[in-house]
Amino acid sequence: MVLDQVRVSTRHTLNCANEATIATLESPFNLGPMDHIVPKMLTIEVILVYKKPMTLPEGDFFPVERLKVAASHLLDYYPHLTGRLQQNPVSQAPEIGNMGTGAEIWEAKCAKKLRNIIASALSGRILVIKLPDSGNALLPIFHATMGAVSHNPIFAMQHTRFGCGGVALGIRVHHLVCDATGFMQLVRDLADIYKQLRDSSPPTLISPPDITSHFRGTSSHSVSQKERAPAFNPPNFCLDTNTGNMPEPLTSHTVIACPLRFQGQDLISLRYAAIDPHAQEQTSFTTFELVSAYLYQRIYQARVKVLRDRGVTPDLDSLQLLRDFWTTMDMRDSTRLKLPARYFPNAVHCLSTSASHELLENGAFWQVLQIIHDAIHSVDMDEVKQQFEWIATQPDKSHIKSRNVVPSGSFLATQWTRGKTYVGVDFEVAPNGRRIAPDLVSPAFTESHRTDGYAIILSTEDQLPRRHLNGRCLAGAYLPCSVDVNLALAGPVWDVLNSDPDFLALHS
């Protein structure tokens, strides 16, 4: 018998605790242009793992019955998640119908003990790659086919009890209804309601979420907006072209996904390397920019070395796709689209830039970093807003194509560090009253994440207040919080990076 095999015992359908909630919701529930551009088969999923205190009986730790009740109350605030995705027959836009069909929660058991999973990792931490099937076995099954989209629940969870009494909570939401920021808001709201139930309090979210997509219909636009939007020529989208076809992969090698950690000292080293010796005033870079730029340059150098080791002289034109840097921006910020702080739907803008071969192979780190920083900070917010308005005014959404699709072999970095994923997701408390924070919060390594050059940059347990206050001091200042990176690369590229002592030293 496979010791870490996960066995699902029961599937429960969940609906709103207050049945009248569904009646107040428009049906079908319209999504907005920021949702329309999301691939229809894409989901967002996260695994949260919690160790059970030795002094707490298993039946009192994270019982699935309380989780079911909490999820039902959560759906009172997110009632559209009880529906099913469908396509509007006129506009061809995705929308939500069949309200009240229900979300789902799966009950499962895993014979393996968390302490054995921890012992299998040199870091002494729970790593997603060490979980059953890299975390996939801890998620409810999702059928990624066009025919199954209308039958899949939009929101589903799996509660898995390990042999030691610990619990993994695997949560999956369809990407068409929210982005990573909205997703983590949903998880925190679930934890908030769960804790209120545990304390016998009426479960109430003091600040309800905003679930209505902005720019979603022409009815809310002024006459001038309706006239202006169709005439606008969006830089990122077009109608009825073939530019949305994915380029052929540059490599046939197996893609390997692996978690990395940048410790606080590593981030300080990158900040020193980011200093422009010629500038009188230094640019302030975010941790996301630092880590992204470092990986962008090092991965490109490793890919070029793979070619040279095979006796291939790199052709600069053929390497162009490898020099592309892609990322996504959360547009909620007051300096961006000024969306509500509790905005749940998608609010993401995708951007790209590129550096020269000479710069990536031999240039200083601060030069590469500046290119990424400039690309992020030069986005025209008015233009982004016009693009979404343009999408909203198109009568047939199926004709909308992206001018630029992320090519295989380029580097794509997505940012989950803004959300501080470990904060606010404690469900239970220990007998001494201490909150039980998760030992791991991470996306699983699903097939969509195993794409050559895809990096998800995540916050870590260092973001928890008690961890931060206990942080080591360096030269009179606390070390910055570490970050994790879930990185997928072709096997030969990993071989080069793993043989580089400098790379290993940074991630030891």
Side-chain angles (χ1 to χ4, degrees):
M1 185 179 79
V2 180
L3 291 179
D4 63 351
Q5 186 174 2
V6 176
R7 298 182 181 276
V8 175
S9 59
T10 314
R11 293 172 61 173
H12 307 275
T13 299
L14 302 173
N15 260 300
C16 299
N18 181 1
E19 295 180 2
T21 307
I22 295 294
T24 64
L25 199 67
E26 64 177 3
S27 184
F29 185 84
N30 293 319
L31 304 178
M34 290 182 278
D35 307 309
H36 297 162
I37 58 178
V38 174
K40 290 182 173 57
M41 245 77 74
L42 205 58
T43 58
I44 301 179
E45 50 273 313
V46 159
I47 310 294
L48 303 99
V49 182
Y50 301 84
K51 288 188 291 189
K52 183 185 77 66
M54 296 290 291
T55 55
L56 197 63
E58 182 177 307
D60 294 338
F61 181 68
F62 219 145
V64 71
E65 289 304 318
R66 187 182 299 148
L67 181 65
K68 288 162 56 181
V69 175
S72 291
H73 285 286
L74 177 75
L75 290 171
D76 285 342
Y77 294 93
Y78 298 88
H80 61 310
L81 300 187
T82 66
R84 292 295 183 267
L85 288 166
Q86 62 187 34
Q87 197 168 32
N88 185 281
V90 177
S91 68
Q92 302 301 307
E95 61 185 16
I96 301 176
N98 297 311
M99 299 299 175
T101 304
E104 286 188 354
I105 182 167
W106 298 26
E107 248 183 290
K109 290 187 179 297
C110 177
K112 199 159 190 176
K113 295 177 172 61
L114 290 176
R115 61 175 175 269
N116 295 332
I117 294 175
I118 294 171
S120 66
L122 295 176
S123 64
R125 294 181 283 114
I126 297 176
L127 302 179
V128 68
I129 202 74
K130 298 294 185 178
L131 294 174
D133 193 20
S134 298
N136 287 281
L138 304 177
L139 287 166
I141 293 173
F142 176 81
H143 300 287
T145 63
M146 287 298 293
V149 166
S150 60
H151 300 289
N152 287 318
I154 297 173
F155 170 38
M157 298 185 290
Q158 181 171 313
H159 177 284
T160 304
R161 178 82 63 182
F162 288 91
C164 57
V167 168
L169 184 60
I171 304 177
R172 171 175 276 144
V173 178
H174 205 292
H175 203 336
L176 274 170
V177 301
C178 70
D179 53 24
T181 300
F183 179 96
M184 288 310 302
Q185 172 184 298
L186 179 78
V187 177
R188 289 191 184 93
D189 287 348
L190 175 64
D192 187 2
I193 289 174
Y194 181 96
K195 285 180 283 191
Q196 292 181 52
L197 287 171
R198 185 195 65 213
D199 299 332
S200 301
S201 303
T204 304
L205 295 180
I206 296 175
S207 178
D210 189 327
I211 65 173
T212 304
S213 298
H214 283 221
F215 317 119
R216 65 179 185 159
T218 57
S219 60
S220 61
H221 296 161
S222 67
V223 174
S224 61
Q225 285 176 319
K226 292 178 183 179
E227 293 176 347
R228 184 178 70 247
F232 174 67
N233 184 25
N236 294 347
F237 300 96
C238 57
L239 296 175
D240 282 333
T241 71
N242 295 319
T243 55
N245 295 332
M246 184 69 78
E248 289 297 316
L250 296 178
T251 177
S252 58
H253 291 286
T254 301
V255 175
I256 300 170
C258 182
L260 303 174
R261 173 159 291 200
F262 286 76
Q263 301 286 1
Q265 181 59 63
D266 303 329
L267 299 175
I268 288 178
S269 297
L270 288 180
R271 291 197 184 280
Y272 280 127
I275 296 174
D276 178 356
H278 310 295
Q280 293 183 347
E281 184 175 344
Q282 295 297 321
T283 304
S284 177
F285 298 109
T286 66
T287 297
F288 172 76
E289 291 170 342
L290 289 166
V291 174
S292 296
Y294 175 80
L295 292 173
Y296 174 45
Q297 184 172 28
R298 296 304 298 270
I299 290 170
Y300 180 80
Q301 292 169 344
R303 284 169 165 168
V304 172
K305 188 175 188 306
V306 168
L307 294 175
R308 290 187 170 132
D309 288 348
R310 294 177 186 159
V312 177
T313 302
D315 174 67
L316 297 189
D317 290 337
S318 66
L319 295 179
Q320 177 57 54
L321 294 181
L322 302 184
R323 297 196 293 272
D324 286 349
F325 172 86
W326 293 77
T327 190
T328 54
M329 292 176 62
D330 182 350
M331 305 306 288
R332 291 170 177 78
D333 197 285
S334 60
T335 62
R336 295 175 182 176
L337 290 186
K338 301 179 177 65
L339 295 170
R342 298 267 293 152
Y343 188 73
F344 176 67
N346 285 284
V348 168
H349 171 67
C350 188
L351 64 94
S352 64
T353 188
S354 183
S356 68
H357 168 79
E358 293 76 15
L359 178 58
L360 285 173
E361 186 163 47
N362 301 308
F365 171 66
W366 63 266
Q367 294 174 302
V368 177
L369 180 59
Q370 192 67 53
I371 288 176
I372 290 178
H373 176 84
D374 290 345
I376 292 173
H377 289 269
S378 63
V379 173
D380 186 331
M381 297 303 158
D382 288 336
E383 187 175 77
V384 171
K385 183 178 178 180
Q386 282 183 282
Q387 284 197 124
F388 289 132
E389 290 177 345
W390 178 86
I391 292 171
T393 59
Q394 299 308 312
D396 189 336
K397 303 297 188 289
S398 66
H399 292 167
I400 301 170
K401 306 293 181 184
S402 175
R403 294 184 189 273
N404 303 300
V405 177
V406 182
S408 175
S410 57
F411 180 67
L412 169 63
T414 58
Q415 181 181 13
W416 284 53
T417 49
R418 284 169 65 97
K420 297 183 179 181
T421 52
Y422 282 76
V423 177
V425 291
D426 51 290
F427 287 76
E428 291 287 1
V429 295
N432 62 3
R434 179 180 61 84
R435 294 179 177 181
I436 301 175
D439 287 84
L440 175 72
V441 181
S442 173
F445 279 126
T446 61
E447 281 305 309
S448 62
H449 290 155
R450 294 178 185 273
T451 302
D452 186 19
Y454 183 30
I456 306 176
I457 301 177
L458 302 148
S459 56
T460 69
E461 69 278 1
D462 284 354
Q463 294 282 359
L464 296 170
R466 60 184 175 84
R467 300 288 187 117
H468 185 63
L469 291 175
N470 294 332
R472 292 182 293 112
C473 187
L474 181 73
Y478 284 104
L479 290 173
C481 295
S482 62
V483 297
D484 283 341
V485 181
N486 286 358
L487 179 62
L489 291 170
V493 180
W494 275 121
D495 292 340
V496 172
L497 293 175
N498 289 334
S499 64
D500 183 341
D502 292 333
F503 190 83
L504 285 173
L506 191 58
H507 305 291
S508 59

